Amino acid sequence: MTETELGTHEWWESYKETVNSDPEMNVRGHGKFSENFYVDMGDERVLLEMDDGEIETFVPNPTMNHQWSFGVEGDRETWEEFVRETPPAFNHEIIASHYRTTVRNEDGHLELTGDNKKIFQHLRAFQRTLDLMRVAHNDGGS
């Protein structure tokens, strides 16, 4: 998917297809992961509305009328690093990246926000959903 720019409508559509057809996500999220979360890429925010481990819809620029339990935020450059086929250390995984931001107070990493209990209740499915960004962005890793 390298021809499509990260964060465009087409990119999100392809990403949605990747998540919804992923066999591992079917196991990790099926019947369990229905927590909405947002992805903040600098000045762009997209809400992912999840239903049983699938992205039901994505909502660019959600408003107060939308609901979510948690989110993940980072500048555009950090997200571009995160979706690389081989991302740099500490931007390869959400917990490692979050640690560098919140504990080490370093810039250039992703940060989790919102309901920590829900994040950790759904960590495996949430993490897989984020990791699939890399798969979608790099044509399935090929």
Side-chain angles (χ1 to χ4, degrees):
M1 161 136 217
T2 52
E3 300 85 35
T4 304
E5 185 180 343
L6 175 67
T8 63
H9 182 81
E10 295 78 19
W11 189 92
W12 287 108
E13 283 290 345
S14 177
Y15 171 62
K16 177 181 174 182
E17 289 175 30
T18 300
V19 171
N20 293 353
S21 64
D22 182 58
E24 186 176 334
M25 196 61 196
N26 190 35
V27 173
R28 288 187 179 195
H30 181 69
K32 299 172 187 82
F33 188 40
S34 294
E35 295 294 333
N36 297 343
F37 68 93
Y38 70 84
V39 173
D40 193 295
M41 293 184 181
D43 58 351
E44 299 172 25
R45 180 173 284 188
V46 173
L47 174 66
L48 300 176
E49 295 181 331
M50 304 297 295
D51 184 32
D52 289 336
E54 292 188 351
I55 298 174
E56 186 173 287
T57 190
F58 60 91
V59 180
N61 305 311
T63 65
M64 297 278 293
N65 294 327
H66 295 96
Q67 295 181 346
W68 57 82
S69 298
F70 48 86
V72 58
E73 300 177 354
D75 60 32
R76 185 154 193 89
E77 187 175 316
T78 301
W79 280 106
E80 288 171 356
E81 288 182 357
F82 182 81
V83 298
R84 285 186 198 163
E85 192 166 354
T86 305
F90 307 113
N91 277 345
H92 69 291
E93 190 263 342
I94 186 60
I95 298 300
S97 192
H98 177 71
Y99 172 83
R100 300 302 274 201
T101 298
T102 58
V103 176
R104 308 274 313 247
N105 201 28
E106 296 177 3
D107 293 330
H109 301 284
L110 301 175
E111 182 175 7
L112 297 170
T113 64
D115 190 333
N116 287 331
K117 182 177 180 179
K118 291 196 184 261
I119 290 170
F120 286 98
Q121 284 174 330
H122 300 286
L123 184 60
R124 286 182 173 254
F126 173 52
Q127 194 165 24
R128 179 65 181 165
T129 304
L130 293 177
D131 289 346
L132 288 169
M133 288 180 161
R134 192 171 300 119
V135 174
H137 193 72
N138 295 292
D139 292 322
S142 57

